[in-house]
Amino acid sequence: MTDVDLDGVVVPGLSAAFHRRAAGGRIRTVGVYRYAGVELFMAWGYVGEPHCRFTAVRRPDNSWGPARPGCPPVVRLRDGGRVTALAIDGHVLTALLPDMPAPPVVRPGTVGPDATPRTAAAACR
């Protein structure tokens, strides 16, 4: 899937690949999310659950952070009332800015006063 919806915002350049495996009477699933060609986070659980059971986010040194319960924490970065970017554990997805190419994932110095913390509704599919 390309241009994936994350927390109600379609993110140009965010893609996801979903992998499934039967586990008894249920189906396990993991979604691997990429932005600007870089694996950004993984979210997993069971098909049909409204939210992810666990998430792991890629660190700046390219290693993976620990598995944490739930969906990844998403911060909506705003310019006035308009969402201009999303941040996940400090990784900024700026492809929402008009007329700008999607840059590589970066770590911001600060999030700023217009940021709105959320938890992504990246349901396991």
Side-chain angles (χ1 to χ4, degrees):
M1 300 178 75
T2 58
D3 298 342
V4 173
D5 175 299
L6 186 61
D7 195 32
V9 177
V10 174
V11 181
L14 180 66
S15 64
F18 296 94
H19 308 277
R20 296 177 175 194
R21 181 171 52 177
R26 301 178 78 182
I27 299 173
R28 292 181 183 163
T29 183
V30 61
V32 180
Y33 293 77
R34 293 177 163 269
Y35 181 72
V38 176
E39 287 183 353
L40 181 60
F41 69 92
M42 293 183 282
W44 61 93
Y46 291 92
V47 169
E49 292 181 320
H51 297 284
C52 304
R53 283 188 177 229
F54 295 96
T55 302
V57 178
R58 184 182 164 120
R59 293 178 174 152
D61 68 359
N62 293 329
S63 67
W64 287 96
R68 296 182 298 196
C71 297
V74 174
V75 175
R76 291 175 179 226
L77 304 175
R78 299 178 185 275
D79 181 4
R82 193 171 132 269
V83 175
T84 58
L86 298 178
I88 300 170
D89 267 8
H91 297 282
V92 178
L93 288 64
T94 57
L96 302 175
L97 296 172
D99 303 318
M100 291 187 71
V105 176
V106 296
R107 304 233 8 132
T110 62
V111 173
D114 288 340
T116 305
R118 302 280 303 252
T119 299
C124 296
R125 299 176 187 194

